């Protein structure tokens, strides 16, 4: 999607490009001469006016990020001359997919760090229980999971049950609560 471009002069919109009009469901005629507060959602309008004031205050290049209308925008403002009067040119770039890509990349990196830590534990841990415990710790601390546990299935068929061997949680009482619950429902 193209950048949203606005020209604000004396607190009123002097120009709004087609991308701006289509994103916010207004026509160019409705935008020109109107206050941003009448044309845009309140959080976007507030950010536009704040950046316009800061730019008029002498800042040459201003940037901000804004979560608005289920999208994330990077706003930039620059002082310009508009028909002999000071104005602020604002550009808003939709960076929603970019932010999601960063989040996905960070999640993947955490998963790879957990795998690396688990591989390292596999080489250095001498006892099975300590290997399982360190894996659970890695999943919670590095992988940012709230809780991790490992257990063995004992028995077979309707008599099968899971016997926890290792667990780790962000909240200390999670493990003891689950252990108490398990004792009352230990069947698969």
């Amino acid at each position: 999607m193209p950048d949203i471009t606005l020209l604000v002069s004396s607190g009123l919109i002097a120009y709004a490009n087609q991308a701006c009009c289509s994103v916010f469901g207004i026509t160019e005629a409705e935008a020109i001469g109107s206050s941003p507060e009448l044309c845009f959602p309140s959080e976007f309008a507030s950010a536009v006016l704040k950046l316009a004031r800061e730019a008029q205050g002498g800042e040459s290049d201003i940037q901000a990020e804004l979560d608005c209308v289920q999208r994330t925008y990077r706003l930039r403002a620059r002082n310009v001359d508009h028909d002999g009067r000071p104005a602020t040119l604002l550009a808003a770039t939709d960076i929603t997919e970019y932010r999601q890509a960063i989040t996905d990349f960070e999640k993947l990196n955490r998963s790879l760090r957990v795998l690396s830590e688990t591989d390292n534990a596999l080489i250095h841990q001498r006892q099975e229980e300590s290997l399982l415990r360190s894996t659970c710790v890695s999943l919670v601390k590095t992988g940012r999971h709230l809780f991790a546990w490992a257990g063995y299935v004992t028995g077979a068929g309707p008599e099968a049950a899971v016997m926890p061997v290792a667990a780790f949680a962000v909240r200390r009482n999670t493990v003891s609560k689950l252990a108490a619950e398990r004792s009352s429902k230990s069947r698969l």
Side-chain angles (χ1 to χ4, degrees):
M1 165 175 273
D3 285 357
I4 293 171
T5 307
L6 290 170
L7 183 64
V8 177
S9 180
S10 302
L12 300 176
I13 298 170
Y15 169 79
N17 71 346
Q18 185 56 44
C20 178
C21 294
S22 66
V23 165
F24 295 111
I26 57 173
T27 65
E28 188 176 356
E30 291 171 325
I32 304 301
S34 297
S35 168
E37 290 136 325
L38 299 176
C39 298
F40 310 128
S42 61
E43 62 269 17
F44 190 83
S46 296
V48 164
L49 290 171
K50 179 179 182 273
L51 283 176
R53 281 191 305 273
E54 288 175 6
Q56 290 302 316
E59 299 278 342
S60 59
D61 232 354
I62 301 170
Q63 292 192 29
E65 284 189 17
L66 172 71
D67 289 320
C68 172
V69 197
Q70 299 178 346
R71 309 297 292 171
T72 302
Y73 293 95
R74 175 172 290 133
L75 291 122
R76 297 176 310 279
R78 180 173 286 276
N79 289 326
V80 294
D81 181 61
H82 177 65
D83 296 332
R85 294 180 312 186
T88 305
L89 181 65
L90 294 118
T93 305
D94 185 342
I95 59 169
T96 306
E97 285 83 15
Y98 173 75
R99 285 281 177 230
Q100 185 59 50
I102 288 173
T103 300
D104 293 345
F105 181 73
E106 289 170 346
K107 185 177 179 180
L108 177 62
N109 272 341
R110 283 194 310 272
S111 297
L112 291 172
R113 283 194 311 271
V114 167
L115 180 61
S116 176
E117 289 173 10
T118 303
D119 285 347
N120 191 35
L122 187 60
I123 293 168
H124 293 96
Q125 297 295 331
R126 298 287 181 226
Q127 302 216 338
E128 193 170 357
E129 286 82 17
S130 62
L131 170 65
L132 294 172
R133 168 96 173 133
S134 68
T135 301
C136 290
V137 169
S138 180
L139 283 165
V140 172
K141 288 187 173 183
T142 304
R144 294 187 186 169
H145 295 278
L146 296 176
F147 178 74
W149 70 276
Y152 297 120
V153 176
T154 59
E159 299 299 316
V162 176
M163 181 185 72
V165 179
F168 190 79
V170 172
R171 295 191 177 125
R172 291 181 188 262
N173 60 354
T174 303
V175 176
S176 57
K177 281 182 183 177
L178 289 173
E181 194 174 305
R182 183 195 68 81
S183 66
S184 64
K185 305 175 195 175
S186 63
R187 301 282 177 235
L188 283 177

